[in-house]
Amino acid sequence: MSESNSQHNLSVKIKVKNTRGIVRSISPHDFRKKFGVQFTSCLLIDKNCPPGARASRPLLNPGSVLSQNSNANPLYSDQIRQAVTANIYIGKVSDQVGFGVFAAEEIQPGQMIGEYTGLARLKKESDCSNAYIFNYVHNAIIDASKRGNSMRFVNHSSRNPNASYKRVFVDGVEHVIFLAERQIAV
């Protein structure tokens, strides 16, 4: 783990709802014990990851969201650098679904919920059975199966999504963040 990631992990607050319905903060160490995943507050990039992860594209407006979103906000850059996450917690959805991410306080439209972290690496054939991957750049993925954060538990709805992902360049590296599409109630 990098020194920078270690410093972020020391101050991080990971909230989890237990079986009695109580939300409490746990440490990165407890996150690993509970979920079998090393907590990382920032994106880790494998040395063999394609160059696209390191801004092979021209950056016309570094730090802005690269999408159809005309309301691109450079604030996301600072939030990514500081590993900011909205006030959320991890809770059990069901035995079939597993865990999900829930709002601990109201989240406003356009607010960053968090960055999807893990190891950015080349795709493998075995990845088709990995539930914790996110398509990244070129022939790469972000793999949160062994290293990641609370965002690895984000579930999606194709009917009425309350959040969407955006790709953001920060300091020459592409990141994947989730933003609230509409107000998300507690």
Short mmCIF file of all heavy atoms in Angstrom, two decimals, residues 7 31 33 38 70 105 108 146 160 163 182:
data_model
loop_
_atom_site.label_atom_id
_atom_site.label_comp_id
_atom_site.label_asym_id
_atom_site.label_seq_id
_atom_site.Cartn_x
_atom_site.Cartn_y
_atom_site.Cartn_z
N GLN A 7 -2.13 7.09 4.60
CA GLN A 7 -2.56 8.29 5.29
C GLN A 7 -4.06 8.50 5.14
O GLN A 7 -4.74 8.85 6.10
CB GLN A 7 -1.80 9.51 4.75
CG GLN A 7 -0.34 9.50 5.13
CD GLN A 7 0.46 10.55 4.38
OE1 GLN A 7 -0.04 11.20 3.47
NE2 GLN A 7 1.70 10.71 4.78
N PHE A 31 -12.82 -3.72 8.30
CA PHE A 31 -13.40 -3.87 6.97
C PHE A 31 -12.84 -5.14 6.32
O PHE A 31 -13.57 -5.94 5.76
CB PHE A 31 -13.06 -2.63 6.13
CG PHE A 31 -13.64 -2.60 4.74
CD1 PHE A 31 -14.90 -2.09 4.52
CD2 PHE A 31 -12.92 -3.06 3.64
CE1 PHE A 31 -15.45 -2.02 3.23
CE2 PHE A 31 -13.44 -3.00 2.36
CZ PHE A 31 -14.71 -2.48 2.16
N LYS A 33 -11.53 -7.74 7.89
CA LYS A 33 -12.02 -8.92 8.62
C LYS A 33 -13.47 -9.25 8.23
O LYS A 33 -13.81 -10.41 8.02
CB LYS A 33 -11.93 -8.69 10.13
CG LYS A 33 -10.51 -8.86 10.67
CD LYS A 33 -10.33 -8.51 12.12
CE LYS A 33 -11.40 -8.97 13.06
NZ LYS A 33 -11.15 -8.58 14.46
N GLN A 38 -9.09 -5.86 1.41
CA GLN A 38 -8.21 -4.81 1.93
C GLN A 38 -8.79 -3.47 1.53
O GLN A 38 -9.04 -3.21 0.35
CB GLN A 38 -6.80 -4.96 1.35
CG GLN A 38 -5.84 -3.91 1.84
CD GLN A 38 -4.46 -4.07 1.21
OE1 GLN A 38 -4.06 -5.16 0.83
NE2 GLN A 38 -3.75 -2.96 1.09
N SER A 70 -23.11 18.42 -18.84
CA SER A 70 -22.60 19.76 -19.11
C SER A 70 -22.31 20.51 -17.81
O SER A 70 -21.76 21.59 -17.83
CB SER A 70 -23.61 20.54 -19.94
OG SER A 70 -24.83 20.63 -19.25
N GLU A 105 -27.43 10.22 5.44
CA GLU A 105 -28.09 11.52 5.42
C GLU A 105 -28.43 11.83 3.98
O GLU A 105 -27.90 11.21 3.07
CB GLU A 105 -27.21 12.61 6.04
CG GLU A 105 -25.97 12.96 5.27
CD GLU A 105 -25.10 14.01 5.96
OE1 GLU A 105 -25.19 14.18 7.18
OE2 GLU A 105 -24.32 14.65 5.25
N GLN A 108 -27.76 15.12 -2.17
CA GLN A 108 -28.36 16.03 -3.14
C GLN A 108 -27.99 15.64 -4.58
O GLN A 108 -26.94 15.06 -4.82
CB GLN A 108 -27.91 17.46 -2.87
CG GLN A 108 -28.31 17.97 -1.52
CD GLN A 108 -29.81 17.90 -1.28
OE1 GLN A 108 -30.61 18.28 -2.12
NE2 GLN A 108 -30.20 17.37 -0.12
N LYS A 146 -10.41 -7.87 -4.19
CA LYS A 146 -9.44 -8.07 -3.10
C LYS A 146 -9.06 -6.76 -2.41
O LYS A 146 -8.61 -6.77 -1.28
CB LYS A 146 -8.19 -8.74 -3.64
CG LYS A 146 -8.44 -10.16 -4.11
CD LYS A 146 -7.16 -10.82 -4.54
CE LYS A 146 -7.42 -12.26 -4.92
NZ LYS A 146 -7.72 -12.46 -6.30
N ASN A 160 -35.08 2.68 -12.24
CA ASN A 160 -35.15 4.04 -11.71
C ASN A 160 -33.89 4.34 -10.91
O ASN A 160 -33.95 4.48 -9.69
CB ASN A 160 -36.41 4.18 -10.85
CG ASN A 160 -36.68 5.61 -10.47
OD1 ASN A 160 -36.17 6.53 -11.08
ND2 ASN A 160 -37.46 5.79 -9.42
N ALA A 163 -28.43 6.95 -8.86
CA ALA A 163 -27.03 7.35 -9.02
C ALA A 163 -26.51 6.85 -10.36
O ALA A 163 -27.06 5.91 -10.95
CB ALA A 163 -26.19 6.77 -7.90
N ARG A 182 -30.56 12.10 -8.49
CA ARG A 182 -31.69 12.80 -7.88
C ARG A 182 -31.47 12.78 -6.39
O ARG A 182 -30.51 12.17 -5.91
CB ARG A 182 -33.02 12.14 -8.26
CG ARG A 182 -33.09 10.66 -7.93
CD ARG A 182 -34.41 10.06 -8.44
NE ARG A 182 -34.37 8.62 -8.51
CZ ARG A 182 -34.58 7.80 -7.49
NH1 ARG A 182 -34.83 8.28 -6.30
NH2 ARG A 182 -34.55 6.50 -7.66
#
